[in-house]
Amino acid sequence: MSSTEVEHKGYSGRPRAQSGFTAWLTTTDHKKIGIMYFFTVLVFFFLGGAESGLIRAQLAQAEQSLLTEEIYNQVFTMHGITMVFLVVMPLSAAFFNYLIPLMIGARDVAFPRLNAFSYWVYLFGGIFLYTSFFLGGAPNGSWVGYAPLSLDSVSNMAYYAVGLQILGVSSLAAAVNFIVTILNMRAPGMTFMRMPVFIWMALVTNFLLLFALPIIAVALFMLHADAVLGAQFFNPATGGDPILWQHLFWLFGHPEVYIMILPAMGIVSEILPVGSRKPLFGYAAVVFAGAAIGFIGFGVWAHHMFTSAIGPVARSAFALSTMFIAVPTGIKIFNWVFTMWGGKLRFTTPMLFSIGFISMFTIGGLSGVTHAIVPHNAQQHDTYYVVAHFHYVLFGGALFGLIAGIYFWFPKVTGKMMSEKLGKMHFWTWLLGFNLTFGPMHMSGLLGQPRRTAVLPGELGSTVELYNLLSSLGFVVLFFSALVFLYNLITSIKSGEASGDDPWDARTLEWLTPSPTPFHNFDVIPTVTHRDEFWHRKYAEDESGRAIPVPAGASEDHDEAGAHDEHIHMPDPSYWPLVQTLGFFPLGYGLVYLNWWLIGIGITWLVVGMYGWIIEPVAEGDDDDPVDDQHDATAPTAAAH
Amino acid sequence: MREHATRPIGGSAAASRRRRLRLPLGIASIAVLLAACGDAEQNALDPAGPFAQAPHDLIIPVAAIALFVFILVQGLIIYSVIKFRTRPDDDGSLPAQVHGNTRLEIFWTVIPAVILAVIAVPTVQGIFDIMDEPDEDFLTVEVIGHRWWFEYYYPDFDIYTANEIVIPVGTPVRLEMTAADPARSPDQGVLHSFWIPRLAGKQDMVPGQTTFLNIQADEPGRFLGQCAEYCGLSHANMRARAVAMDQADFDTWVEQQMTPAAVPDEGTLAAQGRELYHDLGDNRPACASCHQVWEDGSRGPNVGPDLTHLFSRQEFVGAIRDLDEENLRAWLLDPNSVKPMQYDTPNQIGMPNLDLTDEELDALVAYLMTLDPS
């Protein structure tokens, strides 16, 4: 708590700290929250990675029993849940948090406290899920939670139903926040078609979340009611329909795939032009293809169910829609390649990961098209061929793109460079380890290896066994590669080379401000006159149409001097998002173990927290609130200058 | 024609391999990569009947197109990376600032769309072809997925069997499939998926619903399969075996299966075993409370696998073990060590540990080994 706090009307004080531990707990700053997302993801990534290590150890050779079936089933279930809900999605959220306000020229998101709330709910949801390991066993009904197995108390899926529900609250709140921010808080002049592609993809992603999360929320409520309260939505023994769960799950689950990949596509669309020193090829095509993917993504869900109890008409319809979605995906890939075409490529680490993304994602896309050949899908479904496919999309795709983003924006966040030497070592070992792990799975799947099996049967043959051994060796490579990354990250944070404000000769607004980004982002909200605004402030075209650098200080139209006196209004820190969110613990455990006392405490806690939030005073003073000027002197922004 | 298809006992090595660490494969085994996948018993790329062949014929041209696109895109990437890299003598000027090209956009929108439309036609045709009832005369077999084994019922002959489905060569077999029925089993029923890759793709089995799958083998042999929809604890241990026989052998098999089990002579060890089968004592559940050995009267389904002609089968325990005396003893002594069960959970699914004494074990095994129609 800052000692400079001014007495305000209201029922409780408001924290003012801008540094130190309290500042992190109470922050509403989108940059701090983004950083907290990032480090939390890092922890969960290593947990999910440890789980995959156990899987690969078990399957390194045929007929092994390092893990019992019971443990193995928990491990692969938690690996899936962790990587999807606790790693890839929140890592995208970390980028959204840090970058959306900066890229659109805003000082924060629309609802800063809601933003903090989203983070704490995510953190506590993840912790809640992981405590299940110590409280009778983790969920073991697979990440898709197919009924009726998921209704079986032995599968521990109550933790899944409640845990994902909590995480869904986090994502839904964040989605609303980011959509409102992008729609309402863009700098003057930033029309839709001047928005960076990353912002476009963030907008599409968050609309997907907004529409898809309520579906899974309903499904999870039903699952919880079935598993804990004895409802019969999905139980065929009493007239329920287990296929209904599959439809609901994949109605969410397929958009979810695009929720995970679109942010990475946005990141790559930002990095490739910078690394090629050319604008993005076919900006409009890339944007519309992304939006089209978002729309069509809601119409392909049953392609996860081609071998389920659906008839030939449904199978045909979803085969067609699935093939259809390959078209906009292809458009994006070709535009990325042609962004590089004719450029002057600089193979920095972010650029390498972006090129790796295109290359690996293409493989995942092509195997995806083979899934649409429904008669043969019946051979591929639930085999390691599918495991290979979605890892090429989510690891070779989403994760490569997100890692590219980490290297690219690290100097923005810290003002320091990550080591290029270690970064390149990371990239090449990562690429090798990834392909060694997941490449052979295409073949082992087609040779008959089913997924989610705790034992690799010897009858599958020595070739399948060899492929599995290669996959396990690939994991070892990935593990050491991840250590290189971690070492690079830590040492660069401590003692990385100073980056300057614009180390990559970048194109978008976030680089307009100093690095690391000051608390209030921009001294003056920029006025936008071009797509790639920042680049256009640095370069102009000569008579022959060639781009040439603008001499320093010669930029026209941007004389924003004199505007420095403008009042900078920044969100105040708050305890309430953290305090309120703690209520999810009693509520969550109460729902899992059906303890009405805990449920009551949890609900009361959340409601009290909500009221605390509502009646919390504003430290700096509202716009509606006639306050005298002295407040500006003590406002947190002033201190940050 | 691969040799293993006609091999008399397909999974002969399974038992001894199970739960034994094998020596690490050396670098030398890379050579195996080059070898054919001759010992891969679940090879989906090696169809042995029309319902596996049709999807295979569909995927090959698609795979070829995918390979072409793969080479095209990766080629473009590699070419760009080499050709457009910044050279050491670069003057620092910017490259031409190209923003896009509408013709190219139309080109790479239309061409893939046309390719996909061409692929779509045979795909949709294939979906209907493979799911429809076969045109010729076919055999119907009802398949029920239990945690964690497959039960087969031949309605034409009133035959119950488990783990191994016996089919005649060259005849389409239409499987009418569902998952365990809570009316007669503590297993409330979960999803399973029936998949014998060399005979057909997989089809999920749903409790309370009937799904259909056509299979056919064009050659005699033993074809390995696997439950392909995650079904809980012992999912990995839920395997299937299709045994395809020439029509004459199949007719003999049907005749044997339609004959009641012989009752062992009084005073033999097997006769003692038969008594224990019906009454174990000490409040232990009797075998007969879950299994059936049909001796007379009508046949019906039961909770566990039908044991009437147990030793007409070569594999048991969800087809993960060869059926012989040694494996049978191990199974009866401690089922959980062979295949984890949930008998001790609220589910009460699977084979319990019966705490058999050595004498009881000897007698039971002696009895079970008489259940051989040949």
Side-chain angles (χ1 to χ4, degrees):
Chain A
M1 290 282 288
S2 163
S3 58
T4 59
E5 191 178 339
V6 181
E7 198 59 41
H8 291 289
K9 62 183 163 89
Y11 302 91
S12 61
R14 195 146 180 172
R16 305 292 289 271
Q18 291 302 331
S19 61
F21 188 62
T22 322
W24 289 96
L25 294 182
T26 59
T27 187
T28 52
D29 174 13
H30 70 100
K31 298 180 288 299
K32 278 203 166 76
I33 292 170
I35 291 166
M36 291 199 289
Y37 263 108
F38 174 75
F39 283 104
T40 312
V41 165
L42 216 52
V43 172
F44 282 120
F45 180 69
F46 276 86
L47 284 173
E51 284 150 3
S52 64
L54 291 174
I55 293 171
R56 284 321 320 164
Q58 173 86 341
L59 299 183
Q61 290 171 21
E63 313 288 353
Q64 285 205 111
S65 50
L66 300 173
L67 308 177
T68 62
E69 277 86 346
E70 196 185 351
I71 300 295
Y72 184 90
N73 293 343
Q74 293 178 28
V75 165
F76 82 72
T77 300
M78 285 304 284
H79 170 71
I81 293 172
T82 303
M83 289 308 192
V84 170
F85 295 100
L86 303 177
V87 175
V88 175
M89 281 175 81
L91 187 51
S92 301
F95 282 99
F96 293 160
N97 261 292
Y98 202 94
L99 292 173
I100 286 177
L102 282 169
M103 282 181 134
I104 64 173
R107 294 218 163 92
D108 208 310
V109 293
F111 308 115
R113 284 184 294 175
L114 191 64
N115 201 20
F117 170 85
S118 292
Y119 168 73
W120 294 114
V121 177
Y122 153 62
L123 174 67
F124 296 156
I127 292 172
F128 174 81
L129 268 170
Y130 266 85
T131 56
S132 63
F133 272 111
F134 312 103
L135 296 167
N140 62 74
S142 97
W143 90 278
V144 297
Y146 273 14
L149 181 65
S150 50
L151 315 181
D152 189 335
S153 62
V154 177
S155 62
N156 270 332
M157 293 298 272
Y159 268 101
Y160 165 93
V162 177
L164 293 197
Q165 196 75 276
I166 294 174
L167 293 171
V169 169
S170 159
S171 297
L172 195 58
V176 171
N177 208 345
F178 293 134
I179 290 171
V180 175
T181 305
I182 294 172
L183 293 183
N184 286 337
M185 298 179 66
R186 280 166 291 143
M190 181 172 280
T191 59
F192 275 116
M193 294 311 277
R194 284 179 190 161
M195 293 198 310
V197 176
F198 177 75
I199 298 299
W200 263 111
M201 294 305 113
L203 186 64
V204 174
T205 302
N206 283 295
F207 267 113
L208 290 181
L209 282 165
L210 184 68
F211 294 130
L213 283 167
I215 303 172
I216 192 71
V218 168
L220 290 169
F221 271 124
M222 293 162 88
L223 175 62
H224 178 261
D226 268 16
V228 178
L229 304 170
Q232 307 290 337
F233 293 110
F234 305 124
N235 187 355
T238 48
D241 184 0
I243 306 301
L244 175 61
W245 166 265
Q246 296 182 17
H247 283 292
L248 290 172
F249 182 83
W250 289 115
L251 250 169
F252 152 79
H254 200 81
E256 169 71 14
V257 172
Y258 296 107
I259 288 164
M260 289 190 276
I261 192 69
L262 286 173
M265 288 178 164
I267 289 171
V268 168
S269 303
E270 297 303 330
I271 295 174
L272 283 169
V274 172
S276 309
R277 309 193 72 196
K278 272 177 72 207
L280 183 68
F281 194 90
Y283 169 91
V286 172
V287 166
F288 283 121
I293 288 172
F295 276 105
I296 308 169
F298 274 99
V300 298
W301 78 88
H303 72 203
H304 298 269
M305 301 164 55
F306 278 146
T307 66
S308 185
I310 60 171
V313 175
R315 290 182 192 201
S316 303
F318 283 97
L320 296 180
S321 64
T322 303
M323 290 178 183
F324 190 46
I325 205 166
V327 174
T329 313
I331 292 173
K332 290 199 155 211
I333 289 172
F334 284 116
N335 277 298
W336 289 325
V337 173
F338 275 77
T339 300
M340 295 197 288
W341 194 275
K344 287 188 176 178
L345 309 187
R346 294 170 300 182
F347 300 112
T348 56
T349 308
M351 187 66 176
L352 288 175
F353 271 99
S354 299
I355 297 169
F357 166 93
I358 310 175
S359 177
M360 296 300 109
F361 180 74
T362 302
I363 298 173
L366 289 171
S367 58
V369 172
T370 66
H371 296 329
I373 313 304
V374 179
H376 200 267
N377 179 286
Q379 295 285 21
Q380 305 159 6
H381 182 73
D382 270 344
T383 69
Y384 266 79
Y385 184 79
V386 172
V387 176
H389 158 74
F390 69 72
H391 280 97
Y392 268 84
V393 174
L394 292 178
F395 190 138
L399 207 52
F400 267 65
L402 291 162
I403 291 173
I406 294 171
Y407 281 96
F408 187 68
W409 281 294
F410 183 86
K412 182 74 243 163
V413 177
T414 61
K416 295 169 182 169
M417 299 296 288
M418 284 180 80
S419 157
E420 276 290 306
K421 197 176 149 214
L422 288 174
K424 282 176 180 147
M425 195 197 286
H426 175 208
F427 171 75
W428 289 110
T429 49
W430 200 246
L431 189 71
L432 172 74
F434 167 72
N435 282 292
L436 192 56
T437 306
F438 299 105
M441 287 182 187
H442 289 109
M443 281 313 294
S444 56
L446 291 174
L447 293 175
Q449 186 183 357
R451 65 193 282 209
R452 299 182 178 131
T453 47
V455 180
L456 172 63
E459 285 87 346
L460 295 186
S462 52
T463 316
V464 173
E465 228 181 308
L466 178 63
Y467 285 139
N468 275 276
L469 182 65
L470 291 177
S471 290
S472 298
L473 290 176
F475 171 82
V476 177
V477 177
L478 281 175
F479 178 74
F480 284 106
S481 185
L483 290 186
V484 171
F485 168 71
L486 200 62
Y487 175 78
N488 192 0
L489 187 75
I490 293 167
T491 52
S492 301
I493 290 172
K494 277 190 174 161
S495 54
E497 238 177 273
S499 66
D501 291 345
D502 180 22
W504 313 113
D505 192 11
R507 313 179 70 85
T508 37
L509 280 183
E510 75 274 23
W511 301 99
L512 185 62
T513 72
S515 304
T517 322
F519 172 66
H520 58 287
N521 293 359
F522 299 95
D523 290 345
V524 178
I525 297 297
T527 302
V528 177
T529 55
H530 291 87
R531 183 185 301 159
D532 291 340
E533 173 69 18
F534 182 52
W535 191 85
H536 281 277
R537 292 186 182 203
K538 296 185 289 186
Y539 297 94
E541 285 180 354
D542 64 14
E543 300 75 28
S544 59
R546 283 195 71 84
I548 48 158
V550 177
S555 171
E556 355 144 28
D557 308 333
H558 300 297
D559 185 13
E560 283 142 344
H564 284 270
D565 293 337
E566 81 178 45
H567 174 77
I568 296 177
H569 176 85
M570 295 303 294
D572 300 318
S574 171
Y575 292 116
W576 289 107
L578 170 61
V579 171
Q580 184 193 16
T581 308
L582 284 168
F584 280 106
F585 280 114
L587 181 61
Y589 291 113
L591 287 170
V592 167
Y593 297 105
L594 201 61
N595 181 321
W596 295 105
W597 281 107
L598 281 176
I599 293 173
I601 292 169
I603 290 176
T604 312
W605 195 317
L606 288 169
V607 171
V608 169
M610 199 182 297
Y611 272 90
W613 180 324
I614 292 167
I615 63 183
E616 187 174 35
V618 181
E620 192 191 345
D622 244 322
D623 288 348
D624 308 337
D625 193 15
V627 276
D628 50 280
D629 284 337
Q630 69 162 18
H631 283 135
D632 285 343
T634 55
T637 23
H641 270 295
Chain B
M1 181 55 236
R2 295 184 190 281
E3 61 191 53
H4 65 261
T6 46
R7 209 160 66 199
I9 301 173
S12 56
S16 55
R17 276 208 297 257
R18 175 91 171 133
R19 301 197 182 279
R20 180 162 62 81
L21 294 187
R22 308 182 72 199
L23 286 174
L25 292 165
I27 298 299
S29 59
I30 300 286
V32 180
L33 266 177
L34 306 170
C37 313
D39 59 347
E41 293 193 47
Q42 265 175 216
N43 188 350
L45 299 174
D46 182 22
F51 298 107
Q53 190 67 49
H56 187 73
D57 293 343
L58 206 50
I59 201 70
I60 293 302
V62 175
I65 295 170
L67 187 65
F68 169 75
V69 177
F70 170 79
I71 292 170
L72 175 78
V73 174
Q74 309 293 354
L76 281 172
I77 294 172
I78 291 167
Y79 178 81
S80 306
V81 162
I82 294 170
K83 168 93 178 166
F84 302 116
R85 69 185 193 278
T86 308
R87 315 206 175 227
D89 58 350
D90 184 68
D91 59 3
S93 68
L94 288 170
Q97 300 290 296
V98 180
H99 287 264
N101 183 314
T102 309
R103 274 192 201 167
L104 274 176
E105 300 290 349
I106 292 170
F107 176 76
W108 58 54
T109 307
V110 172
I111 299 295
V114 170
I115 293 174
L116 288 165
V118 171
I119 294 172
V121 176
T123 299
V124 171
Q125 188 64 47
I127 291 170
F128 283 88
D129 284 352
I130 250 180
M131 291 185 80
D132 281 349
E133 267 188 19
D135 298 330
E136 325 136 56
D137 283 346
F138 57 87
L139 174 73
T140 300
V141 179
E142 293 176 15
V143 187
I144 300 154
H146 297 264
R147 277 182 271 182
W148 291 273
W149 57 285
F150 290 106
E151 178 182 7
Y152 308 103
Y153 175 64
Y154 295 67
D156 297 347
F157 315 113
D158 199 25
I159 294 172
Y160 290 90
T161 183
N163 297 321
E164 292 184 358
I165 178 171
V166 179
I167 57 171
V169 163
T171 306
V173 180
R174 187 148 172 93
L175 305 179
E176 293 185 12
M177 311 195 295
T178 189
D181 177 359
R184 67 179 175 87
S185 164
D187 182 355
Q188 291 290 306
V190 295
L191 303 176
H192 300 280
S193 193
F194 191 81
W195 184 41
I196 298 183
R198 297 193 61 214
L199 302 186
K202 62 185 71 62
Q203 169 62 52
D204 288 5
M205 313 163 81
V206 184
Q209 298 187 26
T210 306
T211 53
F212 299 90
L213 181 68
N214 300 322
I215 63 170
Q216 181 178 330
D218 284 342
E219 63 211 29
R222 295 174 62 80
F223 303 95
L224 188 62
Q226 161 86 41
C227 172
E229 184 63 78
Y230 177 63
C231 55
L233 183 64
S234 257
H235 168 60
N237 303 317
M238 181 166 173
R239 309 258 283 280
R241 181 69 77 171
V243 183
M245 300 177 172
D246 291 326
Q247 188 65 45
D249 292 340
F250 179 74
D251 293 340
T252 311
W253 179 82
V254 168
E255 209 174 299
Q256 284 174 350
Q257 299 293 318
M258 290 175 73
T259 315
V263 179
D265 297 331
E266 290 285 335
T268 58
L269 188 61
Q272 285 176 36
R274 183 171 170 277
E275 272 171 41
L276 288 169
Y277 174 89
H278 287 284
D279 182 11
L280 261 182
D282 297 334
N283 286 325
R284 290 174 294 177
C287 310
S289 61
C290 292
H291 296 278
Q292 173 156 179
V293 175
W294 172 54
E295 290 172 349
D296 51 27
S298 63
R299 291 184 86 163
N302 215 322
V303 172
D306 186 285
L307 302 179
T308 305
H309 296 297
L310 175 64
F311 269 81
S312 69
R313 313 200 275 262
Q314 290 177 11
E315 284 162 293
F316 78 131
V317 200
I320 62 169
R321 289 287 177 103
D322 293 334
L323 180 55
D324 57 31
E325 187 178 349
E326 188 193 347
N327 284 336
L328 190 57
R329 293 179 75 93
W331 169 243
L332 290 175
L333 261 183
D334 185 6
N336 275 319
S337 69
V338 178
K339 172 177 169 183
M341 292 291 186
Q342 286 179 334
Y343 191 83
D344 301 324
T345 72
N347 279 347
Q348 287 205 314
I349 299 170
M351 178 85 170
N353 190 331
L354 296 167
D355 299 320
L356 297 175
T357 64
D358 285 349
E359 293 76 30
E360 288 168 340
L361 185 64
D362 290 342
L364 268 176
V365 170
Y367 171 58
L368 291 173
M369 290 186 75
T370 66
L371 301 174
D372 186 347
S374 56

